[in-house]
């Protein structure tokens, strides 16, 4: 049986061909180096991050006298994370990062998310902030903030949501007022701010969407600001945590209500162009959430496999019963498919950037909503199957299977609900070329494994309906169908690269792929 | 002071070891290999000595197939400065390793050799002692604490009855026990830097050593499977079975 790290290494080297991609870009990364990085990240995730996972869930983040305390062991653990230099993996070398490919970061993120999703969410958000600032900050801003964020000495947040503005950001009310020194003062309330306030680092940089005075209503009047928790002179900025949410899962991650009461802030990028700047990093952030889904599926699988191989009933271990074996096989197949699909998308991001390939850019745009939604839905399903494999013990918190299900459940919701992802696919991405690129991907899938033919044809048949009035109704099922077909192709490619995955491929094609047909037909049914 | 740290490529400690079907040895094909955990402790100790300013350079040496470069890279990522790979396929016995290390010591003149007390594959626990004998150097084996002051090393050793403290003159051989330290995780920047650190590749002949094994392995077999326990009805039956079946009394 291969481990998650084994599969990631196979995927990076043999399937998305990161050595070839980086060599073509003139920044060669050898297969041994990829393996060395993934192995050490795996070791760090398993030995340092994972052990405190349940403790963090039970202790949760606490709000005391306006200050948020993360679970106790997160402080030394975060210190190890910073010391390990992992935060800077894909960050620009000019700002202290390693400048390594996004696909490699994606692999590290999966391993760490599997170990503890709550903890890893903090570095994930900081990486998003780095991504955004690297593209939109002025050189002066970049010099002041990026080295701190890239090293992990500061963390970053994304302050978008407000009580009346969730999926619809055009309803934002937070406002910025000019200050005499040319900077801005932010007023308003933001909710659902992950790691908005905490005690892991001395400073946090909040990236905040707000309106300038006189800005037009709707999404065109939104600007982006940066407001540090501590100001350069050491004063606390006028931004505070007004409360923590009591959530279903990811208890170790503080989900904050953030109050901006005249917080000193700087404008990032051009006025009224805040949403565009945010969207620039949205692809990376959405891929990262898809990767969280894969990570939760992988953790659920690993725990269920161990349990089923040791739990005896009726004179044999339960993994020898066909129905338990079926559940484990499904978890294995969807996790592998999601893992490789996420790597494929991340490698498209690298190809788009490193080789300036518009074709790769288009693939990334198309794959992003599929990875985000399909992988997080599969993560929840795998987590639920994981509980099922554990039986009654899975329903009890001690086994840990229940925590995976609770933690995994946020991933289909945040960073754009999966319904929003489906609309993005059907009403934004497909019409760009009338479905041409998707047809290409479907044809590629059939080339990898002819057995995908019927499923691919059914999905293709649904494209015209999706481009028409039926799109918004069928979008989610259509996205799901695309995910099953593209996932099947990834698993087939894995089996071609390593026969160890042949059984998983056969099970995927035989048992799971018909779901693509059902989903595509449901999408067309209107 | 230069430090020499030999690191051995062994079957990873998480892998369930299997004997080859022909009984000639342990299966290593398609098995995850790692640095011997005791050697990892030795590397960590060397890196700490360098961080304290006591050591100036750390040389990681591995002896075995070309793939041992991986273990040298791991040591380089932890903080060693350069590597030496002595390429030799097949069995390399402790005495051969000790002779090869002696030849490397002659080239490099380290002030201290730190190595694992034993490798987890064959558990020989021999190379360090043999090397000390060949060199005529002091040895501090099973070290759980190492302090260097001037030209002397103080070593606290883990022995059967407890702890023993010895004072050695340098140069010396130290073999690391489990509690000497807790090895660090390699940082990402150091993993990337390790790519650029040099590894010199040699053959045993370059060092004037004949690597031919002196021992012949007749057979390798798995330990006998543990038998299931049995309940006995009376003390008399127990005594009878101990005397006549188990033959222990």
């Amino acid at each position: 049986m291969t481990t998650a790290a084994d599969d990631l290494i196979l995927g990076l080297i043999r399937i998305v061909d990161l050595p070839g991609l980086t060599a073509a870009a003139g920044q060669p990364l050898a297969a041994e180096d990829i393996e060395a990085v993934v192995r050490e990240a795996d070791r760090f995730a398993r030995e340092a991050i994972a052990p405190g996972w349940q403790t963090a869930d039970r202790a949760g983040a606490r709000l005391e006298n306006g200050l948020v305390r993360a679970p106790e062991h997160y402080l030394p653990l975060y210190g190890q994370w910073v010391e390990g230099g992992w935060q800077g993996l894909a960050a620009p070398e000019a700002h202290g990062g390693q400048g390594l490919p996004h696909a490699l970061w994606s692999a590290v993120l999966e391993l760490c998310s599997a170990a503890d999703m709550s903890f890893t969410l903090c570095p994930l958000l900081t990486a998003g902030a780095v991504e955004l600032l690297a593209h939109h900050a002025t050189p002066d801003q970049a010099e002041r903030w990026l080295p701190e964020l890239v090293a992990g000495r500061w963390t970053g947040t994304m302050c978008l949501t407000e009580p009346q503005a969730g999926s619809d950001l055009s309803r934002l009310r937070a406002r910025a007022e000019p200050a005499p020194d040319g900077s801005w003062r932010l007023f308003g309330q933001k909710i659902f701010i992950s790691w908005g306030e905490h005690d892991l680092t001395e400073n946090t940089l909040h990236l905040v969407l707000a309106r300038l005075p006189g800005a037009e209503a709707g999404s065109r009047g939104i600007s982006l600001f940066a407001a540090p928790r501590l100001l350069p002179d050491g004063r606390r900025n006028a931004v505070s945590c007004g409360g923590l949410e009591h959530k279903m899962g990811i208890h170790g991650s503080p989900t904050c209500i953030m109050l901006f009461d005249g917080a000193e802030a700087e404008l990032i990028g051009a006025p009224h162009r805040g949403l565009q700047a945010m969207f620039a990093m949205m692809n990376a952030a959405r891929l990262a959430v898809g990767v969280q889904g894969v990570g939760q599926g992988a953790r659920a699988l690993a725990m269920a496999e161990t349990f089923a191989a040791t739990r005896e009933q009726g004179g044999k271990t339960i993994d020898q019963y066909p129905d338990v074996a079926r559940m484990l096989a499904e978890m294995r197949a969807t996790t592998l498919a999601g893992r490789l699909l996420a790597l494929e998308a991340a490698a498209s991001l690298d190809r788009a950037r490193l080789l300036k390939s518009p074709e790769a850019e288009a693939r990334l745009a198309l794959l992003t909503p599929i990875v985000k939604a399909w992988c997080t839905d599969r993560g929840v399903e795998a987590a639920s199957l994981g509980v099922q494999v554990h039986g009654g013990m899975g329903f009890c918190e001690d086994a840990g299977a229940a925590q995976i299900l609770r933690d995994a459940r946020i991933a289909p919701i945040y960073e754009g609900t999966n319904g929003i992802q489906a609309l993005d696919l059907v009403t934004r991405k497909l019409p760009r070329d009338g479905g041409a690129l998707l047809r290409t991907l479907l044809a590629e899938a059939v080339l990898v494994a002819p057995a995908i033919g019927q499923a691919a044809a059914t999905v293709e048949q649904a494209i015209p309906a999706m481009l028409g009035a039926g799109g918004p109704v069928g979008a989610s099922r259509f996205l799901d169908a695309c995910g099953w077909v593209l996932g099947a192709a990834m698993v087939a490619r894995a089996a071609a690269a390593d026969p160890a995955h042949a059984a998983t491929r056969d099970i995927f094609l035989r048992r799971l792929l018909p779901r693509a047909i059902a989903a595509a037909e449901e999408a067309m049914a209107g | 002071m230069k430090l020499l740290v030999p690191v051995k490529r062994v079957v990873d400690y998480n892998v369930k070891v299997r004997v080859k079907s022909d009984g000639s040895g342990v299966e290593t094909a398609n098995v995850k290999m790692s640095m011997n955990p005791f050697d990892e402790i030795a590397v960590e100790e060397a890196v700490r000595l360098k961080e304290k300013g006591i050591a100036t350079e750390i040389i990681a040496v591995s002896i075995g197939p070309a793939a041992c470069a991986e273990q040298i890279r791991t040591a380089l990522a932890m903080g060693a400065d350069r590597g030496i790979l002595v390429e030799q396929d097949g069995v390399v016995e402790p005495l051969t390793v000790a002779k090869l290390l002696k030849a490397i010591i002659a080239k490099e003149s380290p002030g201290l050799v730190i190595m694992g007390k034993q490798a987890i594959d064959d558990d020989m626990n021999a190379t360090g002692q043999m090397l000390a004998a060949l060199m005529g150097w002091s040895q501090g084996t099973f070290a759980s604490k190492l302090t260097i002051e001037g030209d002397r090393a103080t070593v606290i050793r883990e022995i059967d009855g407890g702890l023993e403290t010895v004072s050695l003159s340098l140069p010396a051989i130290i073999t690391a026990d489990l509690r000497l330290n807790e090895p660090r995780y390699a940082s990402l920047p150091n993993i990337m830097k390790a790519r650029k650190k040099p590894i010199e590749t040699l053959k045993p002949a370059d060092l004037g050593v004949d690597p031919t094994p002196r021992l012949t392995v007749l057979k390798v077999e798995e330990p006998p499977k543990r038998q299931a326990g049995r309940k006995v009805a009376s003390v008399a039956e127990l005594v009878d079975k101990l005397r006549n079946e188990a033959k222990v009394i």
Side-chain angles (χ1 to χ4, degrees):
Chain A
M1 207 78 69
T2 54
T3 65
D6 294 334
D7 294 351
L8 286 165
I9 290 166
L10 177 82
L12 288 169
I13 296 173
R14 305 272 305 280
I15 298 176
V16 306
D17 187 21
L18 207 50
L21 196 170
T22 50
Q27 300 167 24
L29 190 62
E32 304 88 276
D33 302 324
I34 293 168
E35 173 151 14
V37 171
V38 174
R39 291 270 178 235
E40 191 67 14
D42 181 42
R43 200 176 134 201
F44 183 73
R46 280 185 296 108
E47 295 177 8
I49 302 179
W53 166 76
Q54 272 182 311
T55 314
D57 177 63
R58 285 179 189 159
R62 288 165 297 132
L63 180 62
E64 289 172 1
N65 305 322
L67 296 177
V68 175
R69 306 229 171 271
E72 225 168 273
H73 75 278
Y74 276 10
L75 190 58
L77 175 59
Y78 189 80
Q80 282 182 290
W81 168 262
V82 171
E83 211 171 290
W86 295 103
Q87 187 69 56
L89 193 149
E93 286 176 274
H95 303 295
Q98 294 294 321
L100 291 167
H102 206 86
L104 194 56
W105 170 247
S106 176
V108 171
L109 215 48
E110 186 203 309
L111 295 167
C112 296
S113 296
D116 187 343
M117 181 158 156
S118 295
F119 175 80
T120 308
L121 183 54
C122 183
L124 185 158
L125 288 163
T126 304
V130 167
E131 176 85 15
L132 190 152
L133 292 172
H135 284 93
H136 296 284
T138 64
D140 168 61
Q141 290 170 333
E143 201 176 308
R144 281 181 286 136
W145 299 327
L146 277 175
E148 305 296 331
L149 291 165
V150 168
R153 287 189 295 272
W154 294 12
T155 60
T157 70
M158 302 285 158
C159 302
L160 281 67
T161 306
E162 295 176 16
Q164 76 293 348
S167 296
D168 180 7
L169 287 172
S170 69
R171 300 172 52 141
L172 276 186
R173 282 195 207 130
R175 64 192 205 310
E177 287 180 6
D181 64 356
S183 69
W184 298 89
R185 300 286 178 271
L186 297 179
F187 296 88
Q189 181 190 355
K190 295 286 178 180
I191 61 166
F192 298 162
I193 309 309
S194 297
W195 289 97
E197 166 83 35
H198 61 82
D199 55 354
L200 299 188
T201 53
E202 57 159 41
N203 208 350
T204 296
L205 190 67
H206 300 289
L207 297 179
V208 189
L209 289 181
R211 289 180 194 283
L212 292 171
E216 68 175 285
S219 55
R220 284 160 191 269
I222 296 171
S223 303
L224 177 64
F225 297 86
R229 176 177 182 267
L230 285 185
L231 294 162
D233 60 13
R235 276 179 306 130
R236 173 98 213 227
N237 204 353
V239 48
S240 58
C241 175
L244 292 182
E245 304 295 347
H246 299 278
K247 311 187 293 289
M248 176 178 178
I250 56 168
H251 292 156
S253 160
T255 303
C256 305
I257 297 168
M258 297 304 292
L259 307 173
F260 292 84
D261 190 15
E264 298 181 27
E266 293 179 39
L267 185 67
I268 306 286
H272 313 307
R273 304 283 294 169
L275 269 188
Q276 284 83 347
M278 271 290 177
F279 277 126
M281 55 138 294
M282 215 67 114
N283 274 343
R286 289 181 169 176
L287 286 184
V289 173
V291 166
Q292 287 185 322
V294 178
Q296 295 312 293
R299 180 78 184 255
L301 170 64
M303 288 177 59
E305 275 178 334
T306 308
F307 180 83
T310 47
R311 168 77 174 166
E312 274 186 40
Q313 288 291 283
K316 53 185 178 183
T317 54
I318 62 167
D319 56 359
Q320 296 178 61
Y321 288 93
D323 192 59
V324 176
R326 170 193 66 83
M327 290 191 276
L328 292 172
E330 176 170 340
M331 294 165 82
R332 214 172 280 135
T334 56
T335 302
L336 181 64
R339 170 176 295 138
L340 297 175
L341 206 52
L343 286 187
E344 176 84 347
S348 296
L349 176 61
D350 290 323
R351 201 165 276 124
R353 296 231 178 116
L354 293 170
L355 305 176
K356 313 262 173 292
S357 156
E359 198 262 341
E361 188 77 56
R363 275 180 189 245
L364 170 66
L366 189 67
L367 286 175
T368 298
I370 299 174
V371 167
K372 195 285 178 178
W374 194 80
C375 294
T376 56
D377 279 344
R378 296 298 81 74
V380 172
E381 280 175 11
S384 182
L385 285 171
V387 170
Q388 192 69 19
V389 168
H390 282 77
M393 292 178 203
F395 196 67
C396 302
E397 288 288 351
D398 277 356
Q403 187 189 336
I404 305 176
L405 182 57
R406 290 188 287 101
D407 286 354
R409 193 59 189 84
I410 185 59
I413 299 171
Y414 62 14
E415 205 56 48
T417 64
N418 285 3
I420 295 282
Q421 304 300 322
L423 286 177
D424 176 48
L425 175 68
V426 162
T427 64
R428 277 213 196 95
K429 306 292 167 65
L430 276 193
R432 282 186 186 177
D433 60 2
L437 180 58
L438 180 61
R439 287 194 179 88
T440 308
L441 295 185
L442 294 171
E444 285 175 4
V446 179
L447 277 182
V448 175
I452 296 176
Q454 194 198 344
T458 317
V459 173
E460 193 168 347
Q461 224 184 317
I463 293 177
M466 292 304 106
L467 288 168
V473 180
S476 278
R477 303 309 299 137
F478 180 74
L479 181 148
D480 210 42
C482 293
W484 286 108
V485 170
L486 300 179
M490 294 313 300
V491 173
R493 283 166 71 184
D498 181 353
H501 295 300
T504 301
R505 172 199 55 199
D506 295 346
I507 283 169
F508 201 112
L509 296 180
R510 209 170 57 233
R511 292 190 203 154
L512 305 181
L513 190 57
R515 294 180 191 185
I517 297 171
E521 285 184 347
E522 193 183 338
M524 282 186 280
Chain B
M1 176 166 65
K2 268 197 219 179
L3 301 184
L4 194 70
V5 186
V7 296
K8 185 174 183 183
R9 178 181 172 86
V10 298
V11 174
D12 187 83
Y13 70 97
N14 282 313
V15 171
K16 193 176 180 314
V17 171
R18 286 177 211 288
V19 170
K20 278 189 199 164
S21 51
D22 64 359
S24 63
V26 162
E27 189 57 76
T28 53
N30 293 320
V31 169
K32 186 174 180 239
M33 307 293 282
S34 302
M35 188 194 294
N36 174 34
F38 291 110
D39 296 345
E40 223 171 282
I41 296 171
V43 174
E44 175 66 33
E45 196 65 17
V47 174
R48 289 185 189 187
L49 288 175
K50 192 176 170 193
E51 285 169 350
K52 283 184 201 148
I54 294 169
T56 51
E57 190 186 27
I58 301 166
I59 308 161
V61 184
S62 194
I63 299 165
C68 290
E70 267 175 52
Q71 280 60 52
I72 295 179
R73 288 272 172 227
T74 305
L76 297 177
M78 287 174 73
D81 297 290
R82 63 187 167 93
I84 299 176
L85 168 62
V86 183
E87 254 189 65
Q88 174 63 34
D89 289 329
V91 177
V92 189
E93 289 174 353
L95 185 58
T96 310
V97 174
K99 286 178 183 171
L100 289 167
L101 291 175
K102 183 186 177 198
I104 291 170
I105 289 172
K107 262 171 56 130
E108 301 285 353
S109 334
L112 197 62
V113 179
I114 311 180
M115 59 207 294
K117 68 168 182 176
Q118 67 196 66
I120 60 165
D121 49 3
D122 52 18
D123 282 334
M124 286 280 198
N125 179 14
T127 308
Q129 293 87 333
M130 286 178 172
L131 180 60
L134 291 178
M135 296 302 302
W137 286 3
S138 317
Q139 55 179 305
T141 53
F142 315 120
S144 67
K145 190 169 169 28
L146 170 65
T147 323
I148 309 276
E149 271 169 73
D151 61 352
R152 293 199 79 78
T154 305
V155 177
I156 298 182
R157 308 179 60 226
E158 300 199 359
I159 57 171
D160 286 349
L163 297 175
E164 179 185 60
T165 305
V166 294
S167 174
L168 316 173
S169 56
L170 298 181
I173 314 287
I174 308 294
T175 75
D177 212 325
L178 195 63
R179 279 158 286 271
L180 181 58
N181 59 50
E182 206 173 307
R184 69 192 60 196
Y185 296 100
S187 74
L188 178 68
N190 285 344
I191 295 172
M192 300 315 290
K193 271 187 222 148
R195 305 198 292 168
K196 300 190 182 87
K197 293 179 180 175
I199 299 180
E200 179 187 4
T201 305
L202 302 170
K203 295 273 180 201
D206 301 331
L207 295 166
V209 174
D210 172 12
T212 317
R214 292 154 166 266
L215 307 174
T216 313
V217 174
L218 300 179
K219 194 163 78 172
V220 175
E221 53 191 328
E222 304 219 356
K225 290 251 179 326
R226 204 176 149 179
Q227 304 275 321
R230 262 182 296 164
K231 272 190 183 168
V232 288
S234 64
V235 173
E237 190 190 344
L238 174 67
V239 171
D240 174 63
K241 291 208 184 303
L242 287 175
R243 180 167 294 146
N244 298 317
E245 266 184 48
K247 297 194 166 75
V248 291
I249 52 172

